[in-house]
Amino acid sequence: MPLRLFTLLLLLALIAGCNWGKRGPNNADPRGAGATTRPIRISDSPPRQLDASPRQMQILAVQVYVLELPRGRVSANEPLWRRIDEHAVDPGAYDVLWANGVRAGVAPLSELNHIRDTLGIETALRLDILGRGIGRQAKEFPVEADVPEKTLFWFDEAKRSQGRTFLRCETLMSVAFEPSPGRLESVRLSMTPVVRSMQPRIVVTPAGDDYTIESVKETNLLDLQLQVDVPLGHFLIVSPSDEATWETSLGRQFFTSERQGERFERVFLLIPQVTAIRNADQH
């Protein structure tokens, strides 16, 4: 190979080598113009958790005080009710309650001293419902046992009149509570009259040529629409209303009693409390 040709090829190779690593139109820097590089640092601290603090759930309990007082001592005591927030009950539910012979409202715990002093109450039946978890809890309290026959009339949610006669029955009051949905520091309390009765049932043989009559225990929940969100540090008071004068009303049958020819009213004080706090499971 002539020396002149070899020198020309060497020169072309050097020129090509100077262009290595330069980006052409189809090999642009993906970071774009003006991008700068920074050193990669590796941290020895743990990554920040999105939910650093676990949620806490309250385990609730309710103290229930039952007062038995002469008829009208609380239910017709308007100065006392002016200190109680009856608007804490949903207006539609309040109308149904009143028609069923029941009155309810919410007040701060400081009002308990006023109620005690005004009514001259020294003792009261106390019934505690202790929460076993963080969900809904319920407990039944006996009202009347061994009733041969009881006829009741009540108004449902749409204020339609309902009526029924129960045979060989007992009456109870169910008190339930749970955390108020979407409301911290508040407890949803509810009271529901219960009638547990023995109802006859006809049982026919498979051949259809004979039958027997047997009694079946039946539980009936009579929805009062009594469900109220009560803030902690407050209490729910429930008594008969003026409509409890009707013999077959729920207010008369579940919130009054008669002894030695004198009629008394049964007043409930429900006080929600927190007994413990625990961390809820994270999902």
Side-chain angles (χ1 to χ4, degrees), residues 3-233:
L3 180 60
R4 183 178 296 179
L5 179 60
F6 176 78
T7 303
L8 179 60
L9 292 175
L10 180 61
L11 180 62
L12 290 174
L14 291 173
I15 294 173
C18 291
N19 289 325
W20 291 352
K22 289 188 178 181
R23 299 180 184 274
N26 297 324
N27 194 24
D29 191 332
R31 294 172 298 175
T36 58
T37 61
R38 292 185 175 90
I40 299 175
R41 291 190 174 92
I42 301 176
S43 174
D44 57 358
S45 60
R48 183 177 64 87
Q49 298 293 326
L50 294 179
D51 188 9
S53 58
R55 295 184 300 114
Q56 291 184 327
M57 300 296 291
Q58 298 174 335
I59 299 178
L60 305 173
V62 175
Q63 285 184 354
V64 182
Y65 289 90
V66 185
L67 312 177
E68 195 168 73
L69 303 166
R71 183 73 173 95
R73 190 78 173 273
V74 170
S75 59
N77 191 333
E78 291 307 320
L80 185 148
W81 283 98
R82 280 196 290 269
R83 304 171 68 101
I84 296 169
D85 181 14
E86 295 181 79
H87 297 290
V89 183
D90 178 82
Y94 189 88
D95 290 343
V96 175
L97 276 174
W98 190 274
N100 279 315
V102 182
R103 189 174 192 178
V106 175
L109 288 179
S110 57
E111 289 295 325
L112 286 176
N113 291 330
H114 174 76
I115 291 176
R116 181 193 62 194
D117 297 340
T118 301
L119 302 178
I121 300 170
E122 296 182 358
T123 60
L125 176 62
R126 173 175 164 176
L127 309 166
D128 289 347
I129 312 175
L130 300 178
R132 298 180 301 277
I134 57 178
R136 187 176 187 272
Q137 313 284 316
K139 187 173 183 179
E140 294 178 347
F141 301 104
V143 175
E144 192 177 7
D146 300 326
V147 182
E149 181 178 312
K150 182 176 289 292
T151 299
L152 295 172
F153 284 89
W154 66 95
F155 293 96
D156 62 15
E157 183 179 1
K159 292 196 73 172
R160 296 181 298 245
S161 178
Q162 309 284 336
R164 184 173 171 183
T165 296
F166 302 92
L167 303 176
R168 297 167 55 195
C169 63
E170 61 177 340
T171 56
L172 310 100
M173 180 64 69
S174 175
V175 176
F177 64 95
E178 61 186 318
S180 297
R183 294 182 60 179
L184 299 175
E185 305 300 320
S186 182
V187 180
R188 177 162 293 180
L189 300 177
S190 60
M191 296 180 67
T192 305
V194 179
V195 180
R196 192 163 286 126
S197 62
M198 300 298 294
Q199 297 295 329
R201 184 177 67 176
I202 298 178
V203 180
V204 182
T205 61
D209 55 357
D210 195 9
Y211 67 89
T212 59
I213 299 177
E214 62 181 30
S215 295
V216 179
K217 182 170 285 190
E218 183 180 75
T219 299
N220 303 272
L221 305 179
L222 310 180
D223 191 1
L224 267 178
Q225 298 298 303
L226 179 48
Q227 179 175 275
V228 186
D229 291 318
V230 180
L232 294 175

Side-chain angles (χ1 to χ4, degrees), residues 226-241:
L226 179 48
Q227 179 175 275
V228 186
D229 291 318
V230 180
L232 294 175
H234 291 66
F235 67 95
L236 174 67
I237 180 171
V238 186
S239 82
S241 74

Side-chain angles (χ1 to χ4, degrees), residues 264-282:
F264 296 85
E265 61 185 23
R266 198 174 288 120
V267 180
F268 290 82
L269 305 176
L270 283 70
I271 307 173
Q273 296 178 328
V274 175
T275 60
I277 297 178
R278 78 181 188 194
N279 293 337
D281 295 334
Q282 297 187 21

